[in-house]
Amino acid sequence: MTADTPNMRELPYSPRSFATATRAPSGKRLFDLLVVVAVLPFLLPLLALVTAGVYASMGRPVLFRQRRPGLHGRPFTLVKFRTMREAVDCAGAPLSDAQRLTTFGRVLRATSLDELPELWNVMRGEMSLVGPRPLLMEYLPRYTNTQARRHDVLPGITGLAQVSGRNALSWNARFELDVWYVDNQSAWLDLRILYRTVAKVLRSDGITQSGQATMTPFTGGVGAE
């Protein structure tokens, strides 16, 4: 088994479950839109409460915007709720994530409520509900050819790596799961991932790596942990 091939026995789903599944990108897009339209009216009060909480604890801006690579690496603007305050040291350098992450921000990350504005990205067709998470633009030249295949599909709000360990996984493990998803995507797999996402959020599993406030940066290469 190579670093590019996940251990199938350790995956949360058996590939036999998807042997007869039909891949339908247009159907996936329709499913995304139907889900967003159906749940958005119920989420509006929650969105208002989180907006008020972010404003009260961190001020403006309420939203965090950043360019991220989408399908085939094309950049788009990701939208999330802010979880960190803007703070620098005496030399003007930004403080660490652990120092900038607010108490309310920790709650948002633990419950994944900071991801809710990404529904706007889904509606715009820049993201899907399920797919590899959009990482940083600066990571693009650091991927191996195999790791770069994670951009062969739309990025997602949640994904196989998120329900298999989230940020507690090493980079290698996350990328292996991302590529496995690209090769085995199906409507049934997406439904299973969405179901497991709810369970993960309720348990607040895998929010951070051990000893880290957030995920450590990806430095490149197959051996990167």
Side-chain angles (χ1 to χ4, degrees):
M1 181 176 298
T2 68
D4 295 331
T5 306
N7 185 339
M8 305 305 286
R9 290 174 297 181
E10 295 179 355
L11 290 170
Y13 320 108
S14 168
R16 290 175 297 182
S17 302
F18 322 117
T20 60
T22 300
R23 298 182 185 181
S26 58
K28 182 179 174 72
R29 172 67 176 151
L30 178 61
F31 174 78
D32 287 343
L33 290 175
L34 288 175
V35 171
V36 172
V37 171
V39 303
L40 195 55
F42 301 98
L43 291 177
L44 287 177
L46 181 59
L47 287 166
L49 286 174
V50 175
T51 297
V54 173
Y55 181 78
S57 61
M58 286 171 274
R60 295 180 178 177
V62 170
L63 296 177
F64 169 79
R65 293 179 173 88
Q66 188 176 57
R67 298 289 277 175
R68 297 286 180 94
L71 182 64
H72 305 312
R74 291 193 294 266
F76 71 98
T77 301
L78 178 84
V79 184
K80 301 173 63 173
F81 280 120
R82 278 182 65 199
T83 58
M84 297 184 184
R85 60 192 176 95
E86 298 177 1
V88 296
D89 59 21
C90 56
L95 298 178
S96 67
D97 288 349
Q99 293 173 299
R100 294 188 296 121
L101 190 61
T102 66
T103 300
F104 188 65
R106 290 181 188 276
V107 173
L108 294 182
R109 287 185 175 230
T111 56
S112 294
L113 291 177
D114 61 318
E115 311 283 358
L116 286 179
E118 291 170 33
L119 292 174
W120 172 247
N121 294 119
V122 174
M123 294 185 67
R124 286 174 55 86
E126 298 163 334
M127 293 181 65
S128 177
L129 292 176
V130 180
R133 285 292 299 163
L135 301 175
L136 300 178
M137 293 296 297
E138 65 196 61
Y139 291 174
L140 288 178
R142 303 176 188 175
Y143 294 137
T144 64
N145 289 337
T146 299
Q147 291 169 348
R149 292 188 56 235
R150 67 192 304 277
H151 292 293
D152 288 349
V153 297
L154 282 173
I157 295 179
T158 186
L160 183 57
Q162 281 59 54
V163 300
S164 303
R166 209 170 170 183
N167 288 341
L169 294 174
S170 69
W171 282 114
N172 283 343
R174 291 182 68 176
F175 294 149
E176 287 173 357
L177 290 167
D178 287 344
V179 174
W180 191 91
Y181 173 82
V182 171
D183 291 336
N184 296 273
Q185 59 180 313
S186 70
W188 177 242
L189 178 57
D190 283 1
L191 288 172
R192 291 293 300 274
I193 290 173
L194 288 171
Y195 173 79
R196 290 195 51 150
T197 296
V198 175
K200 282 282 183 179
V201 169
L202 292 177
R203 293 197 301 266
S204 299
D205 283 350
I207 300 167
T208 61
Q209 288 180 313
S210 178
Q212 301 288 333
T214 56
M215 190 74 178
T216 56
F218 173 61
T219 55
V222 175
E225 296 294 332

